[in-house]
Amino acid sequence: MTRIETIARPTGRRRSRAADAGGGLLPSKPSSIVILLACCCLLLSSSVLAGEPTIPRSTNRYSDYNRQSSPTGSGASSSSPSVGSISSSFSPHDYQPPWNPSPKIDPHGFLADLYPRSPGDWEHLANIRGKYGPRQRSYPRNLLTTPVEIRQVPGDGNCLFHSIAACLHQAANGTHLPMDSHERILELRCKSLELRNAAVDVLQNLSGKGRRKLFLQGDEYLEARELLAAAAAQFELEGEEYCELMRKESYWGGGPEIVALCNHLQRPIHIYEVVPTSSQKNNKKIDQTYDEEDDIANNEKIAKSTCNQFTLRRMACFGSPKYDRKEPLHILSADSRFPDVEPKRIRRVGNHFLALFPVTRSSNGGLSFRKHALIRGGSRIVLPPPVMEEKPKKETSKWFGGQGSWAKQ
């Protein structure tokens, strides 16, 4: 049985108008939101070893990077790893980006094209209010007219946490997280491990004995113990065993961890999938200037196009409208071969997460990333002078402030 089928079993609860009047909560019928939660899970039964139920774990050369860079060089230990246990034995001169090389991906992991987005067919049926629901006047214009830039992350079994870490860093600091050296990748792994442990802490909810309400989408929620029990049962594990494995690097995260982090960060997390573009659109050019470190004087002007082969369709809006006061993080569930795969050959079920960054046009026609994202430690994007406006307050970027440090920002 796949993780998709299993996680669809728990019934989300919905606050009804009658319940609001009486202050109680009534269970609702199984809704599409629970199925959407399942659709975000990447753990398939084909990845589970026969006779040995366990959470799937990556064992490719990129996960070998994790084991080779551990203090002992002999793989993950039986105990839960900590941030302090992460180190590297690699030479700084032999660095190669920890993802499949592709002419469509630059050394920092950014795909060459921008990608259009579209709403999911389910969105009109779901009871989503707030800024990103169908009741909003700008729906779905903002989504359709705002393409995204995709950033690759290491496919080492931690891709979910890498993607969220990259998005969160940009949202908090206004700059992209560098990934151009072993040291930078180790920093990414530290951030991802923080998020991994935070997600497990939310699922365990030891202080609340598992009764914490985890908001999904719209009016739906589940208690932490219900979500943990469903996630563990598919692998014939107890909740404690599931959490012990999930704390270790390279074990795949999925829907339960996304919901947990959404509630921990108190920020929406929107999930997308890759689908072939049904109708070919004009390949519009968006001007963008890159100032390469090794050729700053030339300042070559290039055009970044919007892909007309694929569209990113929204699968879920976890945390909306509950946490809509913060900008959502956007991540993509995709075929690990993407973007080097033909539309007709792309897998319907994703097995890799990537980070997404919405891109808008500034009033003077230049390309503008949300919160003026620049790449530090590598190439940097040179944009036309922005229109003067009040600078928004930056969020704190503490990663090691302990439980709930991000949630309070």
Side-chain angles (χ1 to χ4, degrees):
M1 179 177 292
T2 68
R3 193 175 190 183
I4 293 177
E5 294 167 345
T6 306
I7 295 184
R9 288 180 179 177
T11 303
R13 294 187 178 88
R14 179 183 305 156
R15 183 180 295 275
S16 67
R17 293 181 181 178
D20 286 335
L25 290 174
L26 299 177
S28 68
K29 296 180 180 180
S31 64
S32 59
I33 179 57
V34 181
I35 298 175
L36 287 170
L37 168 60
C39 291
C40 290
C41 303
L42 301 181
L43 310 189
L44 307 179
S45 58
S46 60
S47 300
V48 181
L49 298 176
E52 187 181 349
T54 185
I55 303 172
R57 185 183 191 187
S58 292
T59 56
N60 56 30
R61 55 179 173 166
Y62 304 122
S63 57
D64 288 340
Y65 179 98
N66 289 344
R67 289 192 284 275
Q68 293 174 24
S69 61
S70 65
T72 61
S74 58
S77 63
S78 58
S79 61
S80 300
S82 63
V83 171
S85 68
I86 297 179
S87 63
S88 175
S89 60
F90 284 90
S91 166
H93 304 294
D94 62 0
Y95 174 76
Q96 293 293 333
W99 47 75
N100 294 331
S102 168
K104 298 180 180 179
I105 305 176
D106 73 14
H108 302 282
F110 293 98
L111 273 62
D113 290 336
L114 302 177
Y115 286 79
R117 295 184 291 170
S118 68
D121 297 336
W122 55 272
E123 295 189 19
H124 283 285
L125 302 177
N127 185 27
I128 304 177
R129 303 179 304 279
K131 296 169 61 176
Y132 308 104
R135 301 179 185 180
Q136 179 63 240
R137 288 185 177 182
S138 59
Y139 178 93
R141 184 179 68 253
N142 287 349
L143 191 69
L144 295 173
T145 58
T146 307
V148 293
E149 186 173 41
I150 301 178
R151 191 177 194 187
Q152 184 61 273
V153 297
D156 56 2
N158 307 306
C159 59
L160 168 62
F161 305 103
H162 291 334
S163 298
I164 295 178
C167 292
L168 191 58
H169 185 277
Q170 192 276 334
N173 299 285
T175 59
H176 284 302
L177 186 66
M179 300 184 199
D180 55 359
S181 67
H182 291 307
E183 291 74 17
R184 298 299 193 182
I185 296 299
L186 288 175
E187 290 177 10
L188 172 63
R189 287 176 55 199
C190 289
K191 290 172 167 55
S192 298
L193 187 55
E194 259 312 279
L195 291 173
R196 181 184 284 273
N197 285 324
V200 176
D201 289 341
V202 171
L203 291 175
Q204 285 184 310
N205 187 223
L206 297 178
S207 61
K209 298 182 180 180
R211 293 188 175 90
R212 177 180 176 178
K213 297 175 184 177
L214 301 181
F215 294 95
L216 306 180
Q217 161 175 293
D219 293 329
E220 300 291 337
Y221 73 87
L222 288 173
E223 289 187 353
R225 58 185 178 179
E226 294 175 324
L227 185 55
L228 176 58
Q234 63 190 308
F235 303 112
E236 301 178 18
L237 297 173
E238 296 296 328
E240 184 177 345
E241 296 175 299
Y242 178 91
C243 291
E244 182 180 353
L245 291 175
M246 187 53 67
R247 286 189 187 277
K248 299 177 182 178
E249 287 193 300
S250 298
Y251 282 93
W252 292 11
E257 290 71 41
I258 297 174
V259 171
L261 286 175
C262 174
N263 285 265
H264 172 69
L265 300 171
Q266 297 184 10
R267 182 187 290 272
I269 299 178
H270 293 185
I271 320 297
Y272 297 79
E273 62 181 337
V274 179
V275 295
T277 301
S278 57
S279 59
Q280 297 296 320
K281 299 180 180 180
N282 294 330
N283 196 17
K284 299 179 181 180
K285 299 288 183 179
I286 300 179
D287 291 336
Q288 182 176 0
T289 301
Y290 288 87
D291 191 1
E292 300 290 348
E293 284 187 337
D294 57 353
D295 194 15
I296 297 178
N298 292 336
N299 198 19
E300 183 180 6
K301 188 85 175 279
I302 64 173
K304 196 160 191 177
S305 61
T306 301
C307 178
N308 57 18
Q309 286 187 307
F310 296 103
T311 296
L312 309 187
R313 184 169 61 194
R314 192 156 60 186
M315 296 175 65
C317 299
F318 292 127
S320 290
K322 177 67 176 179
Y323 303 120
D324 279 356
R325 63 183 179 275
K326 291 186 178 180
E327 284 293 316
L329 308 179
H330 304 271
I331 60 176
L332 173 66
S333 171
D335 186 329
S336 59
R337 301 170 297 170
F338 178 79
D340 297 308
V341 60
E342 294 296 325
K344 62 182 180 180
R345 296 183 180 277
I346 196 165
R347 297 188 184 100
R348 293 179 60 85
V349 179
N351 59 352
H352 182 57
F353 281 110
L354 302 93
L356 302 179
F357 304 96
V359 179
T360 59
R361 273 191 180 277
S362 61
S363 59
N364 57 4
L367 189 65
S368 174
F369 289 83
R370 295 278 175 103
K371 294 193 176 183
H372 44 274
L374 301 177
I375 303 177
R376 290 180 180 171
S379 300
R380 58 190 178 89
I381 302 171
V382 179
L383 305 177
V387 177
M388 296 302 296
E389 59 183 2
E390 184 179 355
K391 187 176 181 180
K393 182 179 179 181
K394 290 188 177 179
E395 298 176 349
T396 308
S397 58
K398 291 183 179 178
W399 278 98
F400 306 106
Q403 171 70 15
S405 59
W406 279 109
K408 296 178 183 179
Q409 295 170 15

